Amino acid sequence: MAANMYRVGDYVFFENSSSNPYLIRRIEELNKTASGNVEAKVVCFYRRRDISHSLIQLADKHAKELEEEKENPTETELTDKQKHQLRHRELFLSRQYESLPATHIRGKCSVALLNETEAVLSYLDKEDTFFYSLVYDPTQKTLLADKGEIRVGPRFQADVPEMLQEGEADDRDQSKLEEKLWDPECPLTDKQIDQFLVVARAVGTFARALDCSSSVRQPSLHMSAAAASRDITLFHAMDTLHRHNYDLSSALSVLVPAGGPVLCRDEMEEWSASEAAMFEEALEKYGKDFNDIRQDFLPWKSLTSIIEYYYMWKTTDRYVQQKRLKAAEAESKLKQVYIPTYNKPNPNQISMTNGKMATVNGAGPGAFHAAGGGRACESCYTMQSAQWYSWGPPNMQCRLCVSCWMYWKKYGGLKMPSRAEAPEERTSPTPASNESRSRSHVPRQSNHMVPMRNSGSPKSSMKTKQAFLLQATRLTKLARHMCRDIIRLRRAARRPFVPINCGAIKAECKSSFNSS
């Protein structure tokens, strides 16, 4: 029951197509529609196969720089298989939201920000575990480092200079040093300081009464007094005391110069009502991502101004009211939903019917004949499996075993076995096995070459047709040079759809060997 209970904040697999890998999403909301169905508002994560090749290169460069900056780089060198599988575990966070039917959930997974202090191989040791370090914008086609990354390494450490001895020359730039703004050992008592601050607040209230623009924004005396009591007025008063060496009479004369009382305003007073409404709308969309708020909603405001306004806005009644409204909305929404385990047969599942291979729904290629049914798994090369699944374009007639099919669905790629794990006939074919390959393992259109899929590039997944190349075996290359009279193999290689006579090739090669 717990495994089938999905809550807000869970990372889950979504299935949008029976033949495509699962989508990886984070549940933000669970809403019940008018028809009674449950929809999940989710945050999108993208795989390497979903973004362009240029951005993949940028991501690899970023990962290499992080590895070089580590104090203790990875000691153990990763194998090709480990590197290949780690690429399947890498995701890219996005700010994009979408709504999907909750019935399309196929299980839970785990997604974490890449921990630079943890061995990267630890992600391979855990099932259904993924990591990310970059944020992908599908609209702008850009990659950015996540702002929540763990700042570990020499570039984040401060260089503390040696302490200067008494009388030693100070060659530092004095303009960049900190400035003392308040002396806790000043001659004034706490009561005298509090009295001066009360006078400063009174002057601030009077200044707002004289200012026309302030009287419009603060129409009542209570609102003007509240505005004059904020930090901006108190900071100005304490700075004035410090500049005049804590002389009360001199500081009081500065508060009310000849031109009238000094008016100090903060961000809450400088912003208009329309700007405040735009800020609340932007905060609802982007959260506390102040750079995006400034770029898309308030470009005429400085980043400092927006951040200061945010922390002042959090102290207002407006913020408290919105927080209560959100809490009430959250109470009305679903907290969790139960989704039964999906056990319907996949349309790509292959079954045996009268000695022929066919997909469950009958939509697969009828070319899965008895000979083709003996093909090995395209990923692990095994010949035995409790269940087989058709994979790739129909004309390729490829299939995957159960474990490799689940790996493909979850991680979006195929396993990369070492050469020692592959069957012997696949690495060093004999003439007899090469002839049988021409009739069964390879379709008619490539009866004298071995098809090699080009699935490593992200661009190949966006093509409408499967891209592949024909790689000749060593025996085929040798036969091209030896067979010149009966069959011209170089010409036959340009016409792969025409079958060739393997017996004639053997006879001519044998005669050439005997004569030499």
Side-chain angles (χ1 to χ4, degrees):
M1 291 289 290
N4 295 94
M5 196 67 72
Y6 300 93
R7 299 173 177 85
V8 173
D10 285 347
Y11 296 90
V12 295
F13 292 116
F14 269 92
E15 186 173 38
N16 67 338
S17 173
S18 60
S19 56
N20 289 340
Y22 292 141
L23 307 176
I24 297 178
R25 302 290 187 260
R26 185 180 69 233
I27 301 177
E28 292 294 303
E29 295 179 5
L30 291 170
N31 302 313
K32 199 167 186 178
T33 63
S35 58
N37 299 323
V38 177
E39 283 193 350
K41 181 182 178 182
V42 295
V43 176
C44 300
F45 286 85
Y46 291 86
R47 303 180 190 267
R48 291 173 66 95
R49 68 198 303 272
D50 299 325
I51 66 178
S52 64
H53 181 63
S54 59
L55 292 181
I56 287 292
Q57 292 178 330
L58 184 63
D60 292 340
K61 181 181 178 182
H62 176 264
K64 186 177 181 180
E65 291 174 353
L66 290 180
E67 183 67 23
E68 293 174 351
E69 290 175 358
K70 284 185 179 180
E71 295 181 354
N72 299 318
T74 306
E75 297 180 359
T76 57
E77 187 67 22
L78 300 178
T79 64
D80 290 341
K81 182 177 180 179
Q82 290 171 337
K83 292 178 181 178
H84 179 78
Q85 293 184 352
L86 276 174
R87 295 189 186 102
H88 299 159
R89 301 297 184 102
E90 184 179 10
L91 300 177
F92 300 94
L93 174 65
S94 75
R95 310 292 185 195
Q96 183 176 349
Y97 293 85
E98 62 182 11
S99 294
L100 297 172
T103 53
H104 288 193
I105 296 177
R106 296 294 180 262
K108 295 180 182 179
C109 60
S110 176
V111 181
L113 180 66
L114 178 62
N115 189 348
E116 298 175 10
T117 61
E118 186 178 2
V120 71
L121 284 178
S122 62
Y123 296 101
L124 290 181
D125 298 334
K126 305 170 186 175
E127 284 291 328
D128 305 334
T129 301
F130 302 85
F131 65 89
Y132 74 94
S133 61
L134 299 174
V135 179
Y136 172 59
D137 187 344
T139 305
Q140 303 294 332
K141 306 297 182 184
T142 57
L143 279 178
L144 297 174
D146 187 74
K147 295 180 178 60
E149 64 179 337
I150 301 175
R151 298 188 173 185
V152 177
R155 62 176 176 149
F156 299 114
Q157 305 304 315
D159 296 327
V160 181
E162 297 292 336
M163 183 176 178
L164 295 176
Q165 301 297 327
E166 187 175 356
E168 187 177 353
D170 189 358
D171 56 353
R172 294 174 296 176
D173 187 357
Q174 299 296 321
S175 62
K176 296 182 179 180
L177 299 181
E178 294 180 348
E179 181 183 356
K180 189 176 183 179
L181 298 178
W182 184 259
D183 186 4
E185 304 296 333
C186 66
L188 299 178
T189 64
D190 292 344
K191 183 178 180 180
Q192 289 175 315
I193 295 174
D194 290 339
Q195 289 174 340
F196 180 78
L197 294 180
V198 170
V199 173
R201 292 190 188 99
V203 171
T205 305
F206 180 57
R208 283 168 175 78
L210 297 179
D211 184 67
C212 296
S213 61
S214 296
S215 61
V216 173
R217 298 184 183 185
Q218 315 289 346
S220 67
L221 179 62
H222 293 287
M223 295 177 66
S224 297
S229 300
R230 288 202 287 262
D231 290 344
I232 189 68
T233 303
L234 302 183
F235 289 162
H236 173 70
M238 298 177 75
D239 289 344
T240 303
L241 266 180
H242 182 73
R243 287 197 305 268
H244 291 79
N245 296 321
Y246 304 95
D247 184 355
L248 288 176
S249 59
S250 177
L252 285 172
S253 64
V254 174
L255 288 179
V256 187
V262 176
L263 177 60
C264 301
R265 287 176 173 169
D266 56 20
E267 295 297 334
M268 289 297 295
E269 292 183 273
E270 293 291 345
W271 285 43
S272 65
S274 60
E275 290 174 335
M278 292 176 66
F279 172 80
E280 292 179 2
E281 181 183 350
L283 194 68
E284 182 71 21
K285 181 177 181 180
Y286 293 118
K288 292 190 291 184
D289 196 335
F290 299 113
N291 285 303
D292 289 346
I293 290 175
R294 178 175 180 269
Q295 181 178 353
D296 294 347
F297 284 83
L298 299 162
W300 58 89
K301 295 287 186 182
S302 66
L303 191 61
T304 303
S305 173
I306 294 175
I307 295 174
E308 287 183 3
Y309 180 83
Y310 167 74
Y311 285 103
M312 292 180 181
W313 173 79
K314 287 188 70 174
T315 63
T316 62
D317 291 338
R318 174 77 175 173
Y319 169 77
V320 176
Q321 292 174 2
Q322 288 195 1
K323 196 172 182 181
R324 289 174 180 171
L325 287 175
K326 288 184 177 179
E329 290 178 1
E331 287 294 328
S332 62
K333 291 181 179 178
L334 297 176
K335 301 295 187 301
Q336 59 186 13
V337 62
Y338 176 80
I339 305 296
T341 303
Y342 187 81
N343 54 11
K344 293 182 180 179
N346 191 289
N348 292 74
Q349 185 175 326
I350 300 172
S351 62
M352 291 293 298
T353 304
N354 297 328
K356 295 185 178 181
M357 305 295 293
T359 55
V360 170
N361 62 356
F368 270 113
H369 45 71
R375 292 183 58 179
C377 173
E378 290 295 321
S379 178
C380 64
Y381 307 138
T382 183
M383 297 295 294
Q384 296 180 351
S385 176
Q387 183 60 56
W388 293 95
Y389 294 86
S390 63
W391 178 83
N395 62 305
M396 292 292 292
Q397 302 180 24
C398 302
R399 66 176 185 172
L400 297 177
C401 64
V402 173
S403 61
C404 293
W405 175 258
M406 290 308 301
Y407 185 94
W408 155 256
K409 293 291 286 185
K410 289 183 176 181
Y411 304 113
L414 298 183
K415 298 177 183 178
M416 185 178 178
S418 62
R419 185 168 290 274
E421 296 172 346
E424 183 178 355
E425 70 211 20
R426 206 172 175 100
T427 56
S428 56
T430 61
S433 64
N434 195 34
E435 182 181 0
S436 63
R437 181 199 306 275
S438 66
R439 291 197 304 265
S440 61
H441 184 73
V442 184
R444 283 189 59 194
Q445 65 266 29
S446 55
N447 53 5
H448 49 281
M449 293 187 177
V450 181
M452 302 292 290
R453 282 175 286 98
N454 182 20
S455 58
S457 172
K459 290 186 176 180
S460 64
S461 62
M462 295 185 291
K463 294 181 179 179
T464 56
K465 295 183 179 180
Q466 178 72 14
F468 67 95
L469 58 93
L470 299 178
Q471 181 177 352
T473 62
R474 292 182 179 179
L475 288 176
T476 304
K477 292 179 180 179
L478 181 62
R480 285 178 180 174
H481 295 281
M482 300 188 65
C483 300
R484 299 180 181 274
D485 299 330
I486 302 176
I487 297 177
R488 297 182 179 273
L489 285 183
R490 289 183 180 275
R491 185 177 300 173
R494 298 170 194 155
R495 305 177 67 189
F497 50 86
V498 177
I500 60 176
N501 190 343
C502 295
I505 294 177
K506 288 181 183 179
E508 187 172 352
C509 289
K510 188 175 181 180
S511 61
S512 300
F513 278 126
N514 293 335
S515 61
S516 60

